[in-house]
Amino acid sequence: MRYAQGGGLTDAGRAARERVRLQAVERFEDGQKNREIAAALRVSERSVERWRRQWRERGEAGVLSKGSPGRPRLSEAQITRLERELERGPLAHGWADQRWTLARIKTLIGRLFHVSYTVVGTWLLLKRHGWSWQQPARRAIERDEAGQSMTPPRARSWGRKGSTPVVRVRGRGSGRVSMAGLTCYKPGKRSRMFYSVREYRGRKGEPKGIGWRDLCDLLVRAHIQLGGPIVLVWDNLRMHLVEPMRQFIADHADWLTVFQLPSYSPDLNPQEGIWSLVKRDIGNLAAADLGQITRAVKRRLKQIQYRPDLVDGCLVGTGLITDG
């Protein structure tokens, strides 16, 4: 017989629980075996074993329930301090972006007050004190003469109801980070993901993003590491259809077969799920320079490479299947 932490019982239910334990004590004194007691009282043998051990050590008092440990509570002064620290933002507490998540707030409570909350308990605490899950607004704290800004995706964050969280972004510089990737699936094998990242800093003659040569290099690298032929299914991006890319595909027809997805069908492309995971991770990032964004992107892509379950989930999200 198991009860939820905190009891989850009425007064009558708690009284019934104590009666069961006292009945177990009577049966201990009569010399009954654990299996007989468990069957008679409709509890697990494990519970009976624990009660018997407590009875031997401390008698009847040792068997009685100690009651719920109760949920940890913060005083009003501690709640006020917590809200003040939350308003300072995650950057002030060592996180790389400006996104308050339940896990981060739970960690902050532990750091400040040495009190352990569960994620659900943290959610209830915030709800009780007027905080909600919101889409933040942006505010530039630096701009160059051209007024261009580096603004990574916005991600939801916890904030006080009626007061929209503000994400401060630096507007210095006009660079961006481009990504290309391959998600690779084979029945019975571990899913793989390959990627290429390129920075564009606005310099004269610098490529503005991923080009067809980058795509060719990515395909060759995947072919070498996978050690077999590749059936490539991709969308109708202009770079996929340029003549040099078509020529590369024709020249490597011995190991590369290409199929085009229907037009306007990102929901069928599992790589879109990868990009969504990356953008969510760098949401609300107040990057000091383009290099910080690049490092954050590469770090997240590397983490995904070691999580085949995430790669599999992106395929599941498309509704497609691999037929072995």
Side-chain angles (χ1 to χ4, degrees), residues 155-276:
R156 287 182 176 270
S157 176
W158 282 89
R160 194 188 300 275
K161 289 182 180 178
S163 178
T164 303
V166 175
V167 175
R168 293 171 174 81
V169 297
R170 289 179 168 86
R172 185 179 58 199
S174 57
R176 65 171 177 264
V177 178
S178 300
M179 302 173 287
L182 292 173
T183 49
C184 305
Y185 305 94
K186 185 176 182 179
K189 298 292 185 178
R190 177 178 180 270
S191 298
R192 304 281 297 275
M193 193 266 288
F194 302 91
Y195 65 86
S196 178
V197 176
R198 178 181 288 277
E199 290 182 350
Y200 171 65
R201 298 180 177 274
R203 296 167 181 160
K204 185 176 181 180
E206 182 182 19
K208 293 185 177 181
I210 298 291
W212 67 269
R213 290 185 178 85
D214 299 301
L215 298 179
C216 294
D217 292 343
L218 184 62
L219 288 168
V220 170
R221 178 152 48 94
H223 171 58
I224 293 172
Q225 294 193 33
L226 294 173
I230 294 176
V231 177
L232 177 63
V233 182
W234 62 5
D235 56 25
N236 294 290
L237 184 69
R238 184 181 63 84
M239 195 56 61
H240 298 167
L241 305 176
V242 296
E243 184 56 33
M245 192 75 242
R246 292 178 183 274
Q247 187 60 48
F248 174 85
I249 295 171
D251 291 343
H252 297 85
D254 55 324
W255 60 265
L256 180 61
T257 305
V258 177
F259 294 94
Q260 303 291 145
L261 286 170
S263 299
Y264 307 108
S265 55
D267 53 319
L268 298 179
N269 189 352
Q271 193 63 38
E272 294 294 334
I274 300 293
W275 302 147
S276 178

Side-chain angles (χ1 to χ4, degrees), residues 8 54 60 73 79 86 96 101 138 140 142 159 166 197 255 261 274 302 313:
Q54 294 168 341
E60 181 179 305
R73 293 179 179 272
I79 291 293
L86 290 176
T101 63
R138 287 197 184 107
E142 291 183 23
V166 175
V197 176
W255 60 265
L261 286 170
I274 300 293
K302 180 62 70 174

Side-chain angles (χ1 to χ4, degrees), residues 1 3 7-20:
M1 181 184 296
Y3 302 94
L9 300 171
T10 62
D11 291 340
R14 282 189 287 273
R17 178 173 61 182
E18 295 305 307
R19 284 196 298 273
V20 169

